[in-house]
Amino acid sequence: MAESWSSLDNSEPNFRPLVVIELAKGTKKETIDWFTKRIVDRKANGGAQLLVKPLIVENGDENTYLVGASHLRLLLGAETVGLVKECGDNSMRTFTYSSRKTFKDFADDNHSFLTMAECQYIIKHELENLRAKDEKMIPGYPQAKLYPGKSIVRRLLTSGILVQIFPLHDREELKKLRHSWYGRVKVGYQPLDEIRSYFGETIALYFGFLEYFTFALIPMAVIGIPYYVFAWEDYDKYVMFAAFNLLWSTIILEVWKRICAIMTYNWGTLLMKRQFEEPRPGFHGVLGVNPVTGREEPVYSSIKRQIRIYLVSLPFVCLCLYFSLYVMMIYFDLEQWALDYHEENGSNFSSLMLFVPSIIYAVVIEVMNRIYRYAAEFLTSWENHRLESSYQNHLILKVLVFNFLNCFASLFYIAFVLFDMKLLRQSLATLLITSQILNQFAESLLPYWLQKRHKKRMRKRMSSPKAESDLSLVEQVSLEKEMGTYLGTFDDYLELFLQFGYVSLFSCVYPLAAVFAVLNNITEIYSDALKMCRVYKRPFAEPTANIGVWQLAFETMSVISVVTNCILIGMSPQVDALFPDSKTDLILTVAFVEHLLLAMKFIMAFVIPDKPKDIQMKLAKLEFESLEALKQQQMKLAAESLKE
Amino acid sequence: MAESWSSLDNSEPNFRPLVVIELAKGTKKETIDWFTKRIVDRKANGGAQLLVKPLIVENGDENTYLVGASHLRLLLGAETVGLVKECGDNSMRTFTYSSRKTFKDFADDNHSFLTMAECQYIIKHELENLRAKDEKMIPGYPQAKLYPGKSIVRRLLTSGILVQIFPLHDREELKKLRHSWYGRVKVGYQPLDEIRSYFGETIALYFGFLEYFTFALIPMAVIGIPYYVFAWEDYDKYVMFAAFNLLWSTIILEVWKRICAIMTYNWGTLLMKRQFEEPRPGFHGVLGVNPVTGREEPVYSSIKRQIRIYLVSLPFVCLCLYFSLYVMMIYFDLEQWALDYHEENGSNFSSLMLFVPSIIYAVVIEVMNRIYRYAAEFLTSWENHRLESSYQNHLILKVLVFNFLNCFASLFYIAFVLFDMKLLRQSLATLLITSQILNQFAESLLPYWLQKRHKKRMRKRMSSPKAESDLSLVEQVSLEKEMGTYLGTFDDYLELFLQFGYVSLFSCVYPLAAVFAVLNNITEIYSDALKMCRVYKRPFAEPTANIGVWQLAFETMSVISVVTNCILIGMSPQVDALFPDSKTDLILTVAFVEHLLLAMKFIMAFVIPDKPKDIQMKLAKLEFESLEALKQQQMKLAAESLKE
């Protein structure tokens, strides 16, 4: 019944399904045959040499396929993608099939040498690199054009024949992971290595950062608590807090780079070579010749893109920013109205009303952020960037600028135009807490609840209610097929970024912010874990060596926070009292201290090495070895040439 | 008479001397025999496989040797050092002997494929990499210890047996270069490519930077001239000048990176792989095992070095800084005294006396800078850094900080403590002009004069006065042996760095500074060229891809200049008049503008790509090709492995 198409690896006794391919309903037989043939075909013939099996469901509609690969094929694929693994002598090296025996835990019959996430990443890579040879179109679909070298899977996706590709969950592993991650009540670190081997490096690094950031906030939170408990209102205490905060925020960002280097070194991704970047799936243009690769591929004029960016996207973003400021002004009108109302009536109800504008505004901000996000995605996609990385950078820039203004403009206005510290503290608290609650709800709990309801209905349809582990493969696949897709760590990092802003920008006014941030992050870890394990399809692993542009974003925020905190301190009556004669001296002193702090920050960032000594040593050792090997080779060649 | 030691390359008909080795007088025969044998020995036996000839002088003292190499040996050496050359298809590629036919201008009988500077660099590299095998000491000198892997030449140098190694000038080439460089009166660019093939990339890049910087200053100078001609004293014009200056200084530094990338791409050094760095000659310590290389070599505890740096060097530097400030205060006392004297007498003499303190101070600054330089070199060498690069960084940091304070402290004091703009302008002019005159004199003209006198005496001794081109090899070598050694581009860059400071830090007060800078740099090009061609021994070529730490130094200076110029403008009466009611508003506005400018600067530096589009494309193409080659290789292997 379950027929394998692989003509080559019949020797493989047990087919282990790793990746699911869902084709559109009613895809032509001719197309399916061609596609599956290409997947199982020999490498030498331009195939991917993987294994494919159709998933037989009862109603007989064959549109879902399972992809696997022989153990040998996966090992060769690991070399192709450049995986880095630990050797017997504890050093990390790029895996090659010929040197496989030197690697730790390698044995020809040890099928767990590669983690399941790695196997799935390899299969994804091989599928995406399945390229058209001389086909002019996808058989059966003349409108889906192909040209030599075009990725077949990407064309299938963009023409709608391929609905989705996703890796299968491993019920056993997932259960274990869930248990050690959030299944039991415990105090301690997350099982980052297990998360990494199940979900890949990008996601593990996010959870690593989230955990690190939470721990890093704890000292700030601890120092912040007495301010609330003893109701310290004197500014000299706030000055102390702010000074600590500034130093702290620089140090934690520098230390993170080192911790990140240690983690990614042990995961092997620090050493992984960058792969050549292919055009992103959505990229389109007229066929031309790529000057770098010399291959025929769609080409889109850079000038056209620049025009779209500067004449459409930029004005649109500015308009949105203006709109956001406009909404902010409405909020202040509302605030004033509530204040007037309270003064007139003075009832309990009216004092409650004081909080209403802030809460409404916080909700509106969240809503605007989300709507803007869609607009930004649409615009950036319309800008037609050739590379995924360039697309991501433009998207992140658009979203960051708007979110920053949207979230913090009102606070800046209150602080530096209205000079109302009491209102600032109150707004900060309302914004922070409301946005945290909304986020937790919208990101994890709501999808979890929807997913649960959906699952229940599915179960009912499947007649016999079973425990999760007893589900058949068919049932598991049809369940996972319907799960939502995790869209990457962008939103999660953005949330942390804004939180960092709330905590650091006005830290000397509201020291309790760090406490709320810590509390939020602890629940965030659990709700994000829940989201990854229960709500979404398993995502493909993505090797990564750092948190990329977010490091820069956090560092920029910490520079801005130096400026804001210095101004806030300069405005405090206590500091004011130190300069009774002249306000000029006060401002000059504050400006001087600010420049000093900024200079110190840059020097610290420059002086603290980005990688710990021992990682540097290990990297130097690897570099030395490869240089030595090259030299030996040249020496041999030289000796031979000179002998002739 | 002239006997060649090379047992291998007897086929080489014409020995071309490239490098001179001077041993100490009275070096033991046993040592000489061992050393020369190692130089000519086969690669397989651990030799350098070069050619050696003694230089026979009349008094018969054989202590100078000429080193050359066969054409084949040099080509193989070019592969070892990783030279990058232009291919037939105009792309730059790493030279390998096996692919030699694909390179432009390559022919087996074309001995000018490698420039003489490249050949000399290769020989230097091969000599320095001549390593001890099982020798425990240098034969004949039991106190000069060796251990396996120790560079023989470095030990010979540190134990004083080897006096110097230097590359020979090529009289013919040098004459041509001199002619096209400064021999005729012409307006135009320097022959940078010729300079590069004669002196190597580091020196060519310095002259390239000097030329670029001079051109870049011209707009500033042109705008500055009317200020002097029309005696514009109104500050709104100064504001315009300063604004232009700030924008300009950012742009020229960013553009330089791009020009530098174009130049070094065409020279091949942009693509050259970094070689593994050996310990510097002066490094000493007890024998231990290097954790990176696993080799036996001297090891020096990092903690001991830290102690030396922080407990000796740092306090010493601080003391010097304090002393420099003390001298500055004396200068102000003198200045005051001269002013009083002038007021009392009011004669021509007394008005001339007004300039005396500034001139004395400028001379004292130069003298202090030079003395401090020696102290810094001594201290940094005593800190016992393992790597030359780390030594250089610590030295540069020490020297830069002191020079900056020494040169600019008085100007800062006048500007921001005394608020005396007239004195500032006068001091700036005196300092700038005096230091330029002193530099030109001390760096080029004095050595040139000394060298000329020395040459004359040599000629007299050599009985027959000849034209330079007719000198015999023996005479040429003995002339060059006595020439001074060029100590690197450090001082030249430092001079430009300080000049950049004079021009940019207080630009809105003294727009004429740029004019003097341009004039100085034009003569500087000629006097530096003279220095390189006439005064010093030919230096070994050093491949380099950028101006390194100087880029950072110049950028830091331009950040500081934003701050100083903003303050100066804020202090001007015209700007003051714009805020008649409150000085506070003025300061806040200035601070705001300053932050805006700084933010703009950082954004500009971030947005402008460091390499021009076409260089980026060429680099991407090379990377793509090497990745493709790797993939092809893996595919072949995979196909084979799967077939088995």
Side-chain angles (χ1 to χ4, degrees), chain A residues 9 42-44 49 70 72-73 76 79-82 95-98 125 129 131 273-276 278 290-295 302 310 552 563 583-585 587-588 591 594-595 598 602 606-607 613 616-618 620-625 627-628 631 634-635 637-639 641-644, chain B residues 9 42-44 49 70 72-73 76 79-82 95-98 125 129 131 273-276 278 290-295 302 310 552 563 583-585 587-588 591 594-595 598 602 606-607 613 616-618 620-625 627-628 631 634-635 637-639 641-644:
Chain A
D9 294 277
R42 278 172 186 282
K43 267 270 173 195
Q49 214 156 346
S70 69
L72 175 61
R73 181 70 195 83
L76 291 166
E79 179 172 347
T80 311
V81 299
F95 179 80
T96 62
Y97 185 69
S98 53
H125 181 268
N129 276 285
R131 290 173 189 288
K273 296 253 165 17
R274 206 162 53 86
Q275 301 273 327
F276 190 79
E278 298 292 330
N290 181 327
V292 171
T293 60
R295 283 185 196 151
S302 158
Y310 289 107
L552 187 69
V563 181
K583 214 162 151 75
T584 318
D585 283 356
I587 298 174
L588 288 177
E594 187 226 325
H595 281 82
L598 283 177
F602 281 105
F606 189 77
V607 167
K613 193 99 188 164
Q616 279 178 34
M617 292 279 260
K618 283 172 182 167
K621 198 170 170 181
L622 279 180
E623 202 194 330
F624 173 75
E625 279 173 14
L627 284 173
E628 275 302 286
K631 214 187 273 171
Q634 282 171 352
M635 287 257 285
L637 193 85
S641 302
L642 283 170
K643 227 184 277 171
E644 283 164 16
Chain B
D9 292 278
R42 276 172 188 281
K43 267 271 173 192
Q49 213 156 348
S70 69
L72 176 61
R73 181 71 195 85
L76 291 166
E79 179 172 346
T80 310
V81 299
F95 179 80
T96 62
Y97 185 70
S98 52
H125 180 267
N129 276 285
R131 289 172 189 291
K273 296 255 166 12
R274 207 162 54 84
Q275 301 272 330
F276 189 80
E278 299 291 331
N290 181 328
V292 171
T293 60
R295 283 186 196 150
S302 158
Y310 289 107
L552 188 69
V563 181
K583 216 163 149 75
T584 317
D585 283 355
I587 297 174
L588 288 178
E594 186 226 327
H595 281 83
L598 283 177
F602 281 104
F606 190 75
V607 168
K613 191 98 189 164
Q616 277 178 36
M617 292 279 259
K618 283 171 183 167
K621 198 170 170 180
L622 279 179
E623 202 194 331
F624 173 75
E625 278 173 14
L627 283 174
E628 276 303 285
K631 215 188 272 172
Q634 282 171 353
M635 287 259 283
L637 192 86
S641 302
L642 282 170
K643 226 184 276 172
E644 282 163 16

Side-chain angles (χ1 to χ4, degrees), chain A residues 212-481:
Chain A
Y212 169 77
F213 189 59
T214 311
F215 275 110
L217 282 175
I218 287 179
M220 227 129 86
V222 168
I223 298 182
I225 289 173
Y227 285 83
Y228 178 75
V229 176
F230 303 116
W232 285 344
E233 293 282 310
D234 21 343
Y235 269 80
D236 55 341
K237 295 214 174 61
Y238 281 157
V239 169
M240 258 179 50
F241 186 76
F244 174 76
N245 192 342
L246 294 182
L247 217 74
W248 192 236
S249 69
T250 310
I251 291 173
I252 61 172
L253 290 176
E254 288 303 311
V255 171
W256 165 250
K257 278 192 229 162
R258 297 165 66 93
I259 289 182
C260 179
I262 296 175
M263 278 205 286
T264 53
Y265 175 81
N266 289 325
W267 292 343
T269 46
L270 189 64
L271 291 169
M272 255 176 105
K273 296 253 165 17
R274 206 162 53 86
Q275 301 273 327
F276 190 79
E277 223 181 327
E278 298 292 330
R280 60 189 298 267
F283 178 67
H284 54 85
V286 290
L287 265 192
V289 174
N290 181 327
V292 171
T293 60
R295 283 185 196 151
E296 213 176 47
E297 67 168 42
V299 172
Y300 186 77
S301 128
S302 158
I303 295 163
K304 268 194 206 164
R305 187 179 305 126
Q306 300 289 335
I307 289 176
R308 287 185 174 190
I309 292 175
Y310 289 107
L311 295 188
V312 180
S313 294
L314 189 67
F316 176 79
V317 171
C318 291
L319 209 75
C320 288
L321 294 178
Y322 178 77
F323 181 72
S324 148
L325 292 179
Y326 192 80
V327 169
M328 181 189 85
M329 294 317 292
I330 295 179
Y331 156 65
F332 283 113
D333 285 348
L334 268 182
E335 188 78 45
Q336 192 55 46
W337 175 84
L339 216 64
D340 291 348
Y341 181 82
H342 176 61
E343 258 168 36
E344 262 173 47
N345 297 279
S347 65
N348 269 345
F349 171 75
S350 70
S351 73
L352 217 71
M353 278 292 285
L354 278 178
F355 282 93
V356 172
S358 291
I359 292 173
I360 292 180
Y361 184 52
V363 173
V364 168
I365 283 180
E366 281 297 315
V367 172
M368 289 205 305
N369 278 348
R370 269 154 217 280
I371 294 176
Y372 176 82
R373 177 73 193 279
Y374 287 108
E377 271 171 17
F378 174 79
L379 268 181
T380 317
S381 158
W382 177 72
E383 282 163 18
N384 199 15
H385 293 275
R386 189 174 161 271
L387 298 179
E388 185 64 30
S389 61
S390 146
Y391 169 85
Q392 287 294 341
N393 286 342
H394 279 260
L395 179 62
I396 290 180
L397 187 67
K398 281 196 192 70
V399 174
L400 271 193
V401 168
F402 183 79
N403 274 259
F404 183 84
L405 197 82
N406 208 5
C407 291
F408 301 121
S410 67
L411 299 177
F412 276 94
Y413 186 81
I414 296 172
F416 305 128
V417 179
L418 303 181
F419 299 116
D420 187 342
M421 291 305 125
K422 221 178 132 219
L423 182 60
L424 177 61
R425 200 172 310 155
Q426 183 198 314
S427 296
L428 189 59
T430 320
L431 275 178
L432 179 65
I433 295 167
T434 317
S435 76
Q436 286 183 350
I437 291 172
L438 281 180
N439 259 315
Q440 298 262 355
F441 180 73
E443 265 187 28
S444 312
L445 302 179
L446 184 66
Y448 180 62
W449 177 72
L450 287 174
Q451 170 63 17
K452 218 164 185 177
R453 221 182 50 165
H454 171 75
K455 227 185 224 171
K456 241 186 213 157
R457 268 190 302 174
M458 286 288 286
R459 291 272 172 78
K460 256 183 213 154
R461 257 203 317 201
M462 278 192 256
S463 64
S464 60
K466 295 179 209 172
E468 216 162 74
S469 50
D470 296 338
L471 285 175
S472 75
L473 187 62
V474 174
E475 285 164 325
Q476 189 196 337
V477 171
S478 33
L479 258 181
E480 289 183 16
K481 224 159 66 172

Side-chain angles (χ1 to χ4, degrees), chain B residues 4 10-11 54 64 77 100 105 181 244 264 300 308 318 320 371 438 440 442 450 628 634:
Chain B
S4 160
N10 293 334
S11 54
T64 306
R100 63 192 180 280
D105 300 327
W181 199 356
F244 173 76
T264 53
Y300 187 76
R308 287 185 174 188
C318 291
C320 288
I371 294 175
L438 281 179
Q440 297 261 358
L450 286 174
E628 276 303 285
Q634 282 171 353

